Amino acid sequence: DRIQEAAYNTLPADERCLFHHVCGMALASYSTSESDDNILLAAVNQINLGGPAAVQDTSQSSNIAKVNLRAGQKAMVMSDFGAAYSYFNHGISFLQEGHWQEHYDLSLRLFELAAKCALAIGDLASSMLHSEQVMKESRSFEDSLNVMYISTCALAYSSRLPDSIQKSIEILTK
């Protein structure tokens, strides 16, 4: 293990990122044809280790965000909300500027599920930030309804029950 770690550490950081990215993309292409969740999660973990800087073709970014979305949804099914939150955040990090216009449904889903998972793991501040982003960018009331619910729950969980009730009344009024 130490020899392997020493060899790995001899690679420059940017080459390590590129190596993880290439391995992850190869696994990801295989995971779409197979229904093995372990391959999907291994692929996404490798891609995420590479990070957004390793993406050489920016058209891949939305596909990588979609794969992170799938991995996050799988993690939610397994009740691993911490891992799911991490996948959704990584998916968000791969989105390019202008993603709300170009990939609205993907952006909406990533931010909404990130808010939900952040609430589940007790990160109320992150839950509120993701919710506010959706409320700011949503195209319709229905698109923001789920995060409105999440934000009222976050207020209630943070011992701000009067604020939560007020927000609920405002939502019901709309």
Side-chain angles (χ1 to χ4, degrees):
D1 288 344
R2 289 185 182 179
I3 293 171
Q4 181 181 5
E5 185 179 344
Y8 177 79
N9 287 332
T10 61
L11 289 172
D14 57 335
E15 286 183 34
R16 273 185 283 187
C17 291
L18 186 58
F19 175 76
H20 286 296
H21 179 75
V22 170
C23 289
M25 291 304 288
L27 283 172
S29 66
Y30 181 73
S31 74
T32 57
S33 62
E34 296 293 319
S35 61
D36 188 0
D37 295 341
N38 293 328
I39 294 173
L40 170 69
L41 297 178
V44 173
N45 287 333
Q46 287 299 309
I47 292 169
N48 291 344
L49 280 172
V55 177
Q56 295 175 337
D57 182 6
T58 57
S59 66
Q60 286 182 330
S61 295
S62 64
N63 290 332
I64 294 170
K66 288 176 189 173
V67 174
N68 268 288
L69 176 63
R70 279 184 46 216
Q73 290 170 325
K74 298 284 184 189
M76 285 180 74
V77 167
M78 295 184 289
S79 298
D80 189 352
F81 294 101
Y85 179 65
S86 176
Y87 290 129
F88 297 136
N89 265 343
H90 279 290
I92 290 168
S93 73
F94 280 97
L95 294 172
Q96 298 291 311
E97 190 172 325
H99 61 88
W100 281 105
Q101 289 74 34
E102 294 177 35
H103 304 287
Y104 177 77
D105 291 331
L106 175 61
S107 300
L108 179 68
R109 201 76 184 121
L110 282 169
F111 277 88
E112 181 181 300
L113 291 174
K116 186 175 187 177
C117 288
L119 180 65
I121 63 173
D123 188 350
L124 302 177
S126 292
S127 180
M128 291 298 285
L129 286 174
H130 289 300
S131 296
E132 288 169 7
Q133 184 70 27
V134 171
M135 286 187 267
K136 177 183 167 199
E137 299 291 341
S138 66
R139 295 179 181 166
S140 69
F141 178 75
E142 290 78 17
D143 287 349
S144 61
L145 196 55
N146 286 336
V147 294
M148 286 182 198
Y149 170 73
I150 292 167
S151 64
T152 58
C153 289
L155 287 170
Y157 296 159
S158 62
S159 301
R160 294 174 52 198
L161 193 57
D163 293 337
S164 177
I165 293 169
Q166 182 61 36
K167 187 167 186 96
S168 297
I169 292 170
E170 290 171 10
I171 294 168
L172 289 172
T173 303
K174 290 180 184 178

